Amino acid sequence: MKQQVRTLMAAALLTAGTALTAPSVFAHCDTLDGPVIQDARIALEKGDVTPVLKWVRKQDEKQVTSGFKKALAVGKLDAARRQKEERHFFELLVKVHRASEGAPYTGVKPAGSVDPAIAAADRALVSGDDAELVRIVTEVVKKGLHERFGKAAASRATADTSVEAGRRYVRDYVVFTHYVEALTSGGGTDHGHDAHPKTERHEKHGKSKHTHDH
């Protein structure tokens, strides 16, 4: 089931016409209702920075802990400034986390800006049930297959009428078959990096590890 969900998610991204190598595709961690800031809220509520440290590299712990302590201290002394300082901490945490992924920081996004399939993936992890996720992604995949098949079938019917028509069919054929290949092979589903691609292990070799084969 896990492999099924992973291959379906890869196909869903292709359906949306999005390159798997684009960092912004996986940027749901920079939203107010994303998992990073959810853990930040928990940490502030408990007065314990531990829940957020998993989102950053070891060498960034000191910076994040310092920002956390400041937000916590100001919140206790001045309720009016609490929201502002918490926001500053959220921004710092997201920025540091994004840097650990080799991705640019583009600010903290509003709640509700996460793609529905990604939101469903987060809910599945919390509930331990991936039924909703499979349903959502399956519908996206079905639509993607139908659209690409229809276009390739239509252009195939006129492929021999001219060289240009033949080339149009070849383009549609390639798009369609590559989509099917992504579905059946699961290619690109790991996004080519670990949770922290710029950890000390990777930096030791002088570069982060990214492998994207399309």
Side-chain angles (χ1 to χ4, degrees):
M1 179 61 76
K2 289 181 179 179
Q3 180 62 28
Q4 177 189 16
V5 173
R6 290 167 65 196
T7 54
L8 289 175
M9 287 297 286
L13 289 167
L14 289 172
T15 302
T18 308
L20 288 173
T21 53
S24 60
V25 175
F26 312 109
H28 74 292
C29 289
D30 63 1
T31 61
L32 281 173
D33 53 351
V36 174
I37 292 181
Q38 285 185 28
D39 278 349
R41 294 186 192 280
I42 292 172
L44 288 167
E45 182 179 343
K46 292 182 175 181
D48 179 6
V49 72
T50 305
V52 302
L53 294 182
K54 62 178 174 288
W55 294 106
V56 302
R57 298 171 296 183
K58 186 175 181 59
Q59 62 263 39
D60 296 321
E61 287 183 6
K62 184 176 180 180
Q63 180 184 8
V64 170
T65 300
S66 176
F68 173 80
K69 289 179 178 179
K70 181 179 179 181
L72 201 63
V74 171
K76 290 179 178 179
L77 296 174
D78 187 348
R81 289 182 56 194
R82 177 171 181 170
Q83 187 174 4
K84 181 179 179 180
E85 291 303 324
E86 286 184 353
R87 176 77 182 202
H88 286 166
F89 174 61
F90 295 161
E91 292 171 348
L92 169 65
L93 179 60
V94 169
K95 184 176 183 179
V96 171
H97 170 68
R98 295 284 285 162
S100 76
E101 294 184 317
Y105 173 68
T106 56
V108 174
K109 309 301 187 302
S113 54
V114 177
D115 181 272
I118 299 301
D122 285 338
R123 289 195 296 273
L125 287 172
V126 173
S127 68
D129 182 358
D130 63 3
E132 178 195 15
L133 175 61
V134 171
R135 177 185 61 77
I136 290 173
V137 179
T138 298
E139 286 303 313
V140 174
V141 171
K142 285 170 63 177
K143 181 180 179 182
L145 273 173
H146 180 72
E147 290 177 350
R148 287 161 178 75
F149 169 75
K151 194 169 183 179
S155 59
R156 184 177 188 274
T158 59
D160 294 330
T161 59
S162 70
V163 173
E164 183 55 38
R167 288 172 179 160
R168 183 166 53 249
Y169 165 63
V170 170
R171 288 195 296 270
D172 293 342
Y173 169 81
V174 169
V175 170
F176 172 57
T177 56
H178 281 190
Y179 186 81
V180 173
E181 182 180 14
L183 278 173
T184 56
S185 70
T189 53
D190 284 331
H191 318 315
H193 59 254
D194 297 330
H196 298 294
K198 287 191 175 181
T199 57
E200 295 85 346
R201 176 171 59 85
H202 290 136
E203 290 169 346
K204 184 177 180 180
H205 296 285
K207 62 180 180 179
S208 59
K209 183 178 180 182
H210 291 274
T211 54
H212 296 283
D213 296 323
H214 303 291

